[in-house]
């Protein structure tokens, strides 16, 4: 019992931060937040990619919560307990919640807003700024993937499809178009995908490499999410230089909650909460 007392005391002093992650920003945030003496970091990854951005510090859990209700239950009595929980064996609640998921992870963001409000847990969204059209861009802005597929009809013959693996089915019926599809992981077995070639790769990608890719495969149109950030922006610059149109899928709505644009802003918010 004497040996456990320091760990228990440390456990009771620290505030618990849950980071909804899976992005590079979330991994960086976990590292920087762990450097704050009063913070214990728990990172949650959805588990949808085989090689996610895994934080190099803190506790990591993988898998969904079971909707807003499941997340609320986790916030109130967390199942992650690297120090072994309270002295009486109970788990501890989460004190702060930061959503640093991908801008297109609309459902988890909505669930997080509901759960945080229900549990009265301070909640922040780290939302990287969206890309903005500049002179020379030939964007066709669409609200979703079905609209993006329709926009290609009569416009394209060879398309660079950079929307990840989960939305490929929306383009599977466009048999007259050849697709170069880039994703981090392969699509699920037996899921419908369009005709073409699949490339497995993770950014960041250089401008030189993106330009060469477009030229090598004779791409005449790009389909992209407006993900923001620098890791995949080079394809947008390359398209601008080559005069290639980009069908740009706009972001889904996000909850009306407090937001910051970068990790530094999230750290400042966290320190203010303390």
């Amino acid at each position: 019992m004497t040996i456990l007392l320091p760990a228990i005391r440390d456990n009771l002093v620290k505030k618990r931060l849950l980071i909804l992650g899976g992005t590079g920003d979330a991994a960086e945030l976990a590292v920087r937040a762990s450097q704050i003496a009063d913070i214990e970091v728990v990172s949650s990854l959805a588990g949808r990619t085989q090689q996610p951005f895994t934080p190099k510090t803190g506790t990591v859990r993988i898998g969904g919560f079971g909707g807003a209700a499941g997340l609320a239950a986790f916030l109130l009595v967390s199942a992650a307990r690297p120090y072994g929980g309270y002295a009486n064996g109970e788990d501890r609640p989460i004190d702060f919640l930061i959503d640093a998921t991908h801008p297109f992870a609309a459902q988890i963001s909505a669930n997080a807003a509901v759960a945080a409000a229900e549990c009265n847990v301070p909640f922040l969204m780290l939302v990287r700024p969206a890309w903005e059209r500049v002179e020379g861009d030939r964007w066709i802005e669409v609200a979703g993937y079905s609209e993006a597929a329709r926009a290609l009809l009569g416009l394209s013959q060879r398309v660079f499809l950079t929307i990840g693996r989960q939305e490929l089915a929306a383009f599977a019926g466009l048999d007259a178009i050849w697709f170069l599809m880039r994703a981090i992981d392969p699509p699920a077995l037996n899921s419908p995908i369009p005709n073409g070639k699949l490339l497995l790769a993770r950014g960041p990608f250089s401008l030189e490499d993106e330009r060469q890719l477009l030229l090598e495969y004779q791409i005449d149109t790009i389909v992209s999410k407006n993900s923001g950030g620098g890791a995949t922006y080079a394809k947008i610059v390359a398209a601008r230089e080559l005069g290639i149109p980009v069908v740009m899928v706009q972001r889904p709505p996000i909850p009306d909650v407090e937001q910051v644009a970068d990790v530094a802003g999230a750290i400042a918010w966290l320190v203010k909460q303390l």
Side-chain angles (χ1 to χ4, degrees):
M1 178 62 70
T2 303
I3 297 175
L4 293 177
L5 281 177
I8 294 172
R9 184 180 296 112
D10 184 49
N11 195 23
L12 294 176
V13 168
K14 290 178 178 288
K15 297 287 188 178
R16 306 193 87 195
L17 166 65
L18 175 61
I19 300 173
L20 304 178
T23 62
D25 286 340
E28 180 185 350
L29 175 60
V31 171
R32 294 186 59 178
S34 294
Q35 296 169 355
I36 302 174
D38 296 334
I39 292 294
E40 172 195 333
V41 175
V42 180
S43 295
S44 178
L45 310 180
R48 293 180 178 177
T49 59
Q50 298 174 7
Q51 302 177 42
F53 283 103
T54 304
K56 301 183 183 301
T57 187
T59 300
V60 179
R61 68 175 299 281
I62 298 178
F65 291 98
L71 178 52
F74 188 90
L75 295 177
L76 292 174
V77 185
S78 172
R81 46 179 181 176
Y83 296 105
Y86 282 136
N88 62 6
E90 295 178 357
D91 295 314
R92 296 190 298 116
I94 295 295
D95 298 288
F96 312 114
L97 174 62
I98 299 180
D99 176 8
T101 57
H102 193 277
F104 280 77
Q107 189 60 62
I108 184 60
S109 295
N111 291 344
V114 171
E118 179 181 321
C119 300
N120 198 29
V121 172
F123 176 50
L124 178 74
M125 288 189 69
L126 196 173
V127 185
R128 71 180 78 149
W131 297 322
E132 296 185 1
R133 185 200 303 253
V134 302
E135 184 177 356
D137 283 331
R138 298 175 59 193
W139 288 8
I140 303 169
E141 296 179 295
V142 296
Y145 304 105
S146 296
E147 187 177 344
R150 291 194 297 270
L152 298 177
L153 298 175
L155 172 70
S156 312
Q157 293 182 318
R158 298 180 66 83
V159 174
F160 186 23
L161 197 55
T162 63
I163 56 171
R165 64 189 174 97
Q166 297 187 56
E167 310 298 341
L168 295 178
F171 302 85
L174 303 181
D175 296 333
I177 301 175
W178 184 90
F179 290 89
L180 177 65
M181 299 160 278
R182 185 166 68 192
I184 296 174
D185 297 319
L189 190 64
N190 297 325
S191 62
I193 64 172
N195 172 55
K197 180 176 181 178
L198 178 65
L199 293 179
L200 299 182
R202 183 200 290 275
F205 303 103
S206 71
L207 176 57
E208 180 180 354
D209 288 343
E210 296 291 70
R211 186 189 299 114
Q212 181 59 37
L213 193 70
L214 297 178
L215 292 173
E216 178 181 349
Y217 288 96
Q218 301 177 334
I219 298 299
D220 59 33
T221 312
I222 294 176
V223 179
S224 174
K225 298 176 180 178
N226 194 333
S227 300
T232 61
Y233 187 62
K235 66 187 174 189
I236 306 302
V237 179
R240 183 187 308 140
E241 292 181 354
L242 296 173
I244 295 174
V246 177
V247 177
M248 187 69 76
V249 181
Q250 298 305 293
R251 295 179 175 187
I254 62 175
D256 184 15
V257 298
E258 189 170 359
Q259 302 171 25
V260 294
D262 53 29
V263 172
I267 292 294
W269 176 86
L270 187 58
V271 170
K272 185 177 179 180
Q273 299 302 312
L274 295 172

